[in-house]
Amino acid sequence: MRGMTVGETAEHADLLAAAAVEAVEGTGAYAGSVFLRSRDRRSIVLAAAYGAPPSLLGGWRLIPVSSPIPLATAYRSGRTVHLANAEETMRRYPQLAVALPYAFGSCSVPVGAAGETFGALAVVWAASPGSEGLSRARRRHVRTVAGRLGSALAALRARTGDPVECAPETVPIEIPAPSATAVRVGLFGWDLGSGTFRGDDELCAIFGLDPRAFDGQATSLAACLHPGDLAAFLSAAREAAARGRRITARRLRVRERGGGEGYRTVELWARVLEAGDGPARRQLVGAVVDSRAGSAAVAAVERLRDGLFSLAPDGRVTYANHTALRQLDVSGDKLLGQVLWDALPWLADPDVESRHRSAMISQAPASFLACQAPDHWLAFSLHPEADGVTGRVVPLGQPPSTSAPPASAAEPATAATPTRLGVMHHVLQLGSALTEAVTTRQVCEVVSDQLLPAFGGQQLAIYVVRNGTMHRLFHTGRHEDFLDGLEGAPLHARLPGTEALTAGAPLFIESRQDLTRNYPGAPTGEVNSWAYLPLIASSHPVGTCVLGFDSNHRFTEKDRGVLTALAGLIAQALERAKLYDSEFAIARGLQQALLPHRLPVIPGIRTVARYLPGTSGMDIGGDWYDAIPTGKGVALIIGDVQGHSIAAAATMAQLRSAVRAFTAVSHTPGEVMAGVNRTLFDLDPGLLASCCYLQVAADTHHAHAVTAGHPPPLLRRPDGTTEVLDLGIGPLLGVERTSAYPTTPVDLPPGSVLALYTDGLVEEPGADIDVGIDRLRSSLAHARADSLDELADRLLHNARRSSYRADDIALLLTEYGPGAPGRDGAPGGGPRGAP
């Protein structure tokens, strides 16, 4: 039975079920699911599934909104995510491919209305390598279904107050895939007094009658019965009516359709409509059951010498013939209704479950070998359809001759083998996410995003050990004080957070009573259950991860096993991230030391600078900027040395010094650039560099510019019009020792602004750099310019917010004219950096 949450209605459930069915049947997929957002908006929760049970597709009942999973992406972005095949899934969503390495395609779309997103809908189909996935028309069908569902949910909320959110504990609606009917059932109502007989279309079909031509008289049906059965049947009906009894399993022979002498056997079940005297005693209601097809199929399968069995989509055994039971050495009552690899301990190997899952998801046959005893080898083959799997098992005459047994033929597992793929899924999911986390902050955020939705927690804190005491590194949740007593506590303190770490064993506390009984005086805040996970890496105590639950939470054996396994991954990731943070701080400090700390004061010229280091790695880059007084004005320089390394930073420092040296002897811009190029050749670092150099005169309206393969400067005029300066472009520094660099004059009206920048500000993967330059030009043209500092911050607004910057960014803005007093690098006017 579905777990109903407050406000949920049957109409709400019907809408979800109908959408899942319509999406699957309209696309030719074999499974579909609907996820709705949780109340805290941190995750999306499985609300309905059609065709395949949730456990088959990775067990994703709660998906963190930030997770790199197609459904979460569709929910976050509001866009369709279409993955045609396994190759595209691996390329775009490697974490999903790691957890489900099978041949399938998927299409995920958002569910919402009026600009509000409620959840996401997805369909899944079998996809061979190279397949193109759903056609545009079928993708449009999925979006249409999702759109109708969103509108219906919004209307239902407005009409009844029924929320669109789904509680994490809600049991999802599961609609099984349709399967061939082995049993036919026709329903009827029979008035024994008048002889009126009302039957449905299925009953008419069983009796070989046209429903449209049936006159509703019992005599018409009686003509279809074997004469030898008719009198006994009528007698049983009269006795049932007279005594209020039921007719149970009365066998009748019905003439085969088309006439002739052939008959088939059906069963009739009936009862009196209600007890008591009067006309009600003369009313019978019941069913006619035609199980001939199923009986014939069972008889045929039982005659085979091969072992045959049937599995539901989730792996439960629904049928096994006698041969299969004999070969598996198990009785039917111990096998039927049980998951195959749980009922048979010697099949409790992850590979067996994975082969079944592969067959169901890929809709392609799978096979494996297994050893029941030291010398009893069996070969299994699985043949899937959307509604389940038909299995075949045959003995092998001799053991496999390969040097190493198949994965499923390893040492037999014991009955205590834990749930396997569920644990593997969480480990793979968190492990894959942690590989992309570099800093300690990123590790903590990944842990929060993965663990809280997966286990239904509301609070998470991570404490690390420093100088023998516990210090909070990260916390998320409403209750800041739920672990106040742990902050600054020594490792020998009698607190659950310290004892779990010193003992090296997780601690699970399911209620406040358990906490106060074992740890009197320990603070509880507003939390009712806790999981304390010791973080130990290479036998070294790193810290403690604490999950908090607002209500009492029972930790199942699976929960405890999964959380224990994940604690080791978190500890290793934190240790790696702490090392990264230390080295990163040193590298960034070195890089900042190589950049100018103060920009010069030039009457009539104001300059500000910004520097943003990349976030994708630890190595420092070679971006630099400078402003050098020349006596007549200022020389503005921006450059970028190839690569991210100590060598790139060192080369950058040497080139900056060379520019200053050549500028000091009053060389022209072209001569300066040529001299710097020769210097790079003499240094021979094996690196190339780009550079842009302008000499600006304070007492004229002119500048002279030269560029060595660097993105062109932007000029914003006093009226706001902004252009990309068309400069003569020289080759990159370090390409050819004798390279010449043409100089281009530039007009600078009073009140104009020059923007010099490095390519990290304008480059985007897969897009031409000219597109990024034009976007920056447009931003410069339309940004407010109340101050040069504000303008610089606006131009870097999107870059600052990005959690991933593949390259460093340097920006140098110069305002020219009487309205631009010089600045000396005081707060707000000098260079700034940001991590």
Side-chain angles (χ1 to χ4, degrees):
M1 179 178 292
R2 185 165 189 249
M4 299 292 285
T5 59
V6 176
E8 249 183 356
T9 63
E11 184 178 357
H12 185 274
D14 291 344
L15 290 173
L16 299 176
V21 172
E22 186 179 1
V24 170
E25 293 184 348
T27 56
Y30 67 77
S33 55
V34 178
F35 283 72
L36 296 179
R37 68 193 186 197
S38 61
R39 294 190 181 107
D40 61 9
R41 309 293 177 91
R42 277 183 175 170
S43 57
I44 50 176
V45 184
L46 180 63
Y50 171 66
S55 59
L56 187 66
L57 294 172
W60 275 293
R61 289 194 55 248
L62 294 95
I63 298 178
V65 168
S66 60
S67 180
I69 298 293
L71 273 159
T73 302
Y75 173 78
R76 287 195 313 268
S77 66
R79 297 178 180 176
T80 299
V81 179
H82 177 250
L83 303 173
N85 49 50
E87 291 80 6
E88 187 174 2
T89 302
M90 174 61 77
R91 184 174 66 255
R92 296 175 56 188
Y93 292 89
Q95 291 189 28
L96 177 63
V98 166
L100 294 173
Y102 311 118
F104 69 96
S106 65
C107 182
S108 304
V109 299
V111 172
E116 182 182 6
T117 305
F118 304 144
L121 180 151
V123 294
V124 177
W125 62 89
S128 57
S131 62
E132 297 181 356
L134 298 184
S135 65
R136 289 186 178 181
R138 289 185 169 182
R139 276 179 270 172
R140 187 164 53 248
H141 171 77
V142 178
R143 289 193 294 268
T144 300
V145 171
R148 284 203 298 263
L149 174 61
S151 298
L153 290 175
L156 183 63
R157 180 178 62 180
R159 189 174 72 252
T160 66
D162 199 17
V164 297
E165 288 79 12
C166 194
E169 65 273 13
T170 300
V171 179
I173 303 165
E174 294 188 43
I175 308 103
S179 58
T181 302
V183 178
R184 304 171 68 186
V185 179
L187 304 178
F188 68 85
W190 185 7
D191 186 327
L192 297 178
S194 65
T196 302
F197 199 103
R198 300 182 305 279
D200 62 7
D201 290 353
E202 193 67 22
L203 183 127
C204 292
I206 292 173
F207 279 81
L209 301 174
D210 183 351
R212 294 168 296 182
F214 178 49
D215 59 7
Q217 294 299 311
T219 53
S220 300
L221 291 176
C224 301
L225 296 178
H226 188 284
D229 293 342
L230 180 57
F233 168 64
L234 293 176
S235 175
R238 287 191 293 268
E239 182 179 3
R243 300 186 179 183
R245 293 179 177 176
R246 296 188 179 191
I247 303 176
T248 58
R250 177 62 62 117
R251 291 175 178 263
L252 301 173
R253 286 169 287 179
V254 177
R255 190 183 304 275
E256 289 284 7
R257 180 173 295 186
E261 299 300 322
Y263 289 88
R264 66 183 184 281
T265 301
V266 300
E267 289 185 354
L268 181 138
W269 299 68
R271 67 176 180 84
V272 176
L273 185 61
E274 62 181 36
D277 297 327
R281 288 265 191 186
R282 309 290 291 174
Q283 302 288 329
L284 286 181
V285 293
V288 174
V289 180
D290 182 0
S291 59
R292 183 181 62 166
S295 301
V298 170
V301 170
E302 291 293 344
R303 297 186 192 106
L304 296 176
R305 295 186 177 182
D306 289 348
L308 295 176
F309 58 91
S310 177
L311 302 179
D314 61 1
R316 288 178 298 103
V317 182
T318 56
Y319 171 78
N321 68 358
H322 289 300
T323 304
L325 294 175
R326 185 174 64 253
Q327 290 174 349
L328 299 176
D329 191 24
V330 66
S331 63
D333 59 342
K334 292 185 177 180
L335 184 63
L336 297 181
Q338 304 298 314
V339 175
L340 178 65
W341 43 89
D342 288 342
L344 303 174
W346 51 276
L347 285 181
D349 185 283
D351 185 64
V352 174
E353 185 177 355
S354 181
R355 297 300 175 95
H356 168 261
R357 188 175 300 213
S358 174
M360 282 299 303
I361 295 177
S362 304
Q363 288 292 289
S367 60
F368 60 91
L369 303 180
C371 186
Q372 181 183 12
D375 58 352
H376 187 198
W377 287 85
L378 297 172
F380 289 78
S381 58
L382 306 177
H383 304 270
E385 284 291 341
D387 61 332
V389 169
T390 295
R392 177 174 175 266
V393 54
V394 296
L396 292 180
Q398 57 185 6
S401 58
T402 56
S403 58
S408 59
E411 287 295 324
T414 66
T417 301
T419 303
R420 298 155 301 274
L421 286 185
V423 175
M424 291 170 60
H425 156 67
H426 288 291
V427 171
L428 289 171
Q429 183 77 357
L430 180 61
S432 181
L434 286 175
T435 60
E436 300 179 9
V438 178
T439 67
T440 53
R441 179 73 186 184
Q442 290 171 345
V443 168
C444 293
E445 288 174 347
V446 165
V447 172
S448 172
D449 289 343
Q450 294 291 328
L451 291 195
L452 288 180
F455 295 92
Q458 291 76 41
Q459 321 292 323
L460 184 138
I462 294 179
Y463 285 79
V464 294
V465 179
R466 287 202 299 265
N467 300 322
T469 58
M470 304 292 286
H471 295 275
R472 189 170 71 184
L473 178 67
F474 177 86
H475 171 261
T476 184
R478 292 178 299 166
H479 311 313
E480 287 281 347
D481 59 347
F482 88 110
L483 286 173
D484 277 350
L486 194 53
E487 179 65 30
L491 290 182
H492 58 75
R494 193 173 185 278
L495 293 169
T498 54
E499 290 197 351
L501 180 59
T502 55
L507 184 60
F508 301 97
I509 301 176
E510 297 184 345
S511 68
R512 292 192 185 192
Q513 291 79 7
D514 292 344
L515 180 68
T516 54
R517 181 171 59 251
N518 295 299
Y519 300 94
T524 62
E526 298 182 49
V527 177
N528 287 278
S529 295
W530 300 261
Y532 293 87
L533 308 179
L535 305 180
I536 300 173
S538 302
S539 301
H540 170 68
V542 176
T544 303
C545 177
V546 189
L547 272 71
F549 300 80
D550 289 352
S551 57
N552 286 359
H553 181 85
R554 191 179 75 83
F555 296 96
T556 65
E557 287 301 318
K558 176 183 175 182
D559 288 344
R560 295 169 186 248
V562 171
L563 288 170
T564 302
L566 296 181
L569 290 178
I570 298 169
Q572 294 288 348
L574 269 181
E575 278 290 87
R576 184 186 70 244
K578 286 166 62 180
L579 177 63
Y580 174 93
D581 285 347
S582 298
E583 297 186 4
F584 183 87
I586 295 172
R588 291 309 181 204
L590 173 61
Q591 188 169 37
Q592 291 287 351
L594 296 175
L595 295 172
H597 295 277
R598 187 179 296 272
L599 296 178
V601 178
I602 308 294
I605 297 176
R606 184 186 178 198
T607 57
V608 298
R610 298 289 186 268
Y611 176 79
L612 299 180
T615 62
S616 63
M618 187 187 307
D619 293 331
I620 60 178
D623 292 25
W624 94 92
Y625 59 85
D626 209 346
I628 307 169
T630 62
K632 296 181 180 179
V634 66
L636 306 172
I637 308 100
I638 197 158
D640 185 2
V641 178
Q642 173 191 26
H644 291 78
S645 63
I646 296 294
T651 301
M652 173 264 282
Q654 291 168 313
L655 292 183
R656 179 180 170 225
S657 297
V659 171
R660 282 185 163 265
F662 285 112
T663 300
V665 294
S666 302
H667 283 305
T668 66
E671 292 170 339
V672 170
M673 197 66 71
V676 174
N677 180 55
R678 291 192 300 272
T679 301
L680 184 57
F681 260 92
D682 293 338
L683 293 172
D684 192 23
L687 299 173
L688 301 177
S690 68
C691 185
C692 185
Y693 179 98
L694 286 91
Q695 281 187 358
V696 181
D699 55 351
T700 69
H701 298 165
H702 302 289
H704 291 84
V706 63
T707 180
H710 199 83
L714 304 178
L715 176 63
R716 170 170 160 161
R717 300 185 182 279
D719 62 359
T721 59
T722 305
E723 63 179 304
V724 179
L725 294 182
D726 185 14
L727 305 182
I729 301 175
L732 289 168
L733 301 175
V735 173
E736 224 179 287
R737 184 180 179 84
T738 59
S739 295
Y741 297 90
T743 301
T744 305
V746 178
D747 291 330
L748 296 177
S752 58
V753 176
L754 266 173
L756 280 70
Y757 52 93
T758 54
D759 55 10
L761 185 58
V762 293
E763 277 190 330
E764 291 185 6
D768 191 272
I769 192 172
D770 290 339
V771 175
I773 292 173
D774 188 65
R775 186 180 298 114
L776 180 62
R777 181 202 61 77
S778 178
S779 298
L780 179 59
H782 296 95
R784 292 175 54 190
D786 295 342
S787 72
L788 206 58
D789 285 293
E790 181 182 350
L791 181 59
D793 290 335
R794 287 183 179 275
L795 294 180
L796 292 179
H797 176 71
N798 290 335
R800 287 186 190 277
R801 296 181 61 187
S802 174
S803 60
Y804 177 85
R805 289 190 298 274
D807 201 359
D808 298 358
I809 296 173
L811 174 67
L812 180 62
L813 296 183
T814 303
E815 189 175 9
Y816 175 81
R823 294 295 297 268
D824 61 357
R832 290 184 188 169

